Amino acid sequence: MPKLILASNTKFLDIPNLNENLDVPLQKAKILYIITGSKKVFDNSFVQRHLNRVTERNLNYTSYDIEGKSETEISKKMDNYDIIHMEGGNTFHILKTIYATNFDKILKKRLDEGMNYIGTSAGSYVMTPSIITATWNDRGFDRCGLEDFTALNYVPFILKAHYTKERRQSILDNSTDLKWPLKILTDNQAIAVNGDSFKLIGEGEEITLESLQNE
């Protein structure tokens, strides 16, 4: 049963009960940090900021880009790691690269074998049925020719990360005809998935469409 942490951003490091939802505590894990999504954004300094934070915590992180790699290369690279951390950035680029490299097939095999997965922002979106929520905020990201937003479907809901009150109306405007339930995360929250079960972890109450409509 795969264990996933679907987070809004790298503040997941500060969630007190995070390790309860992983097979290996972060402090003892070997973590492969996939930074592919950071290549198609206007400012990728968030990657270095995260690497600085994990260095301060003495976490065992190795950065890796799957773009342009063969299925064999990626599979071999993933040997002996406990956790895959898929960083955010350009969701469209990540998803397109996942399919182009067969990373989806490699990941399924590794998750079945017991590897854990952490996603942040776009890295969380790609584990849902669709990355449609990435289209809600037009930040000028290159969609990389991607027209089919079908994602990896490890959970039965879609996600909207980085919630602030300023984004309330955008979410309400875009969520009228959704095919799937929507989970909304602030940057201090994540969803811990264990097989078919999932729960909100982190700070604050769960934000739902109903709660936003009633504000």
Side-chain angles (χ1 to χ4, degrees), residues 69-194:
K69 306 295 194 307
S70 70
E71 185 174 348
T72 300
E73 286 176 300
I74 296 171
S75 183
K76 185 176 181 180
K77 183 67 178 181
M78 290 172 70
D79 286 346
N80 302 316
Y81 284 92
D82 305 297
I83 297 172
I84 289 290
H85 176 185
M86 179 71 78
E87 181 58 278
N90 186 320
T91 317
F92 310 101
H93 179 58
I94 295 174
L95 189 62
K96 184 175 182 178
T97 306
I98 282 174
Y99 290 138
T101 59
N102 287 328
F103 179 80
D104 53 323
K105 297 175 183 177
I106 304 167
L107 180 64
K108 183 181 186 308
K109 180 177 183 292
R110 294 309 174 100
L111 293 180
D112 288 345
E113 292 171 347
M115 180 178 277
N116 292 179
Y117 179 97
I118 296 173
T120 43
S121 191
S124 295
Y125 288 2
V126 297
M127 299 300 277
T128 74
S130 171
I131 62 166
I132 188 64
T133 54
T135 69
W136 292 3
N137 294 330
D138 185 4
R139 293 188 288 173
F141 281 177
D142 181 359
R143 294 192 182 183
C144 305
L146 201 66
E147 296 181 357
D148 183 355
F149 299 144
T150 302
L152 304 186
N153 202 31
Y154 279 88
V155 293
F157 53 82
I158 58 174
L159 278 173
K160 189 58 187 171
H162 312 302
Y163 176 75
T164 63
K165 288 188 178 295
E166 290 74 21
R167 293 179 175 174
R168 170 182 172 271
Q169 194 58 51
S170 174
I171 291 173
L172 292 175
D173 291 344
N174 284 284
S175 58
T176 53
D177 295 308
L178 293 179
K179 297 179 181 179
W180 310 273
L182 174 67
K183 298 292 185 182
I184 303 167
L185 296 175
T186 71
D187 281 344
N188 297 307
Q189 296 175 329
I191 295 174
V193 181
N194 185 356

Side-chain angles (χ1 to χ4, degrees), residues 65 146 198:
D65 178 14
L146 201 66
F198 48 88

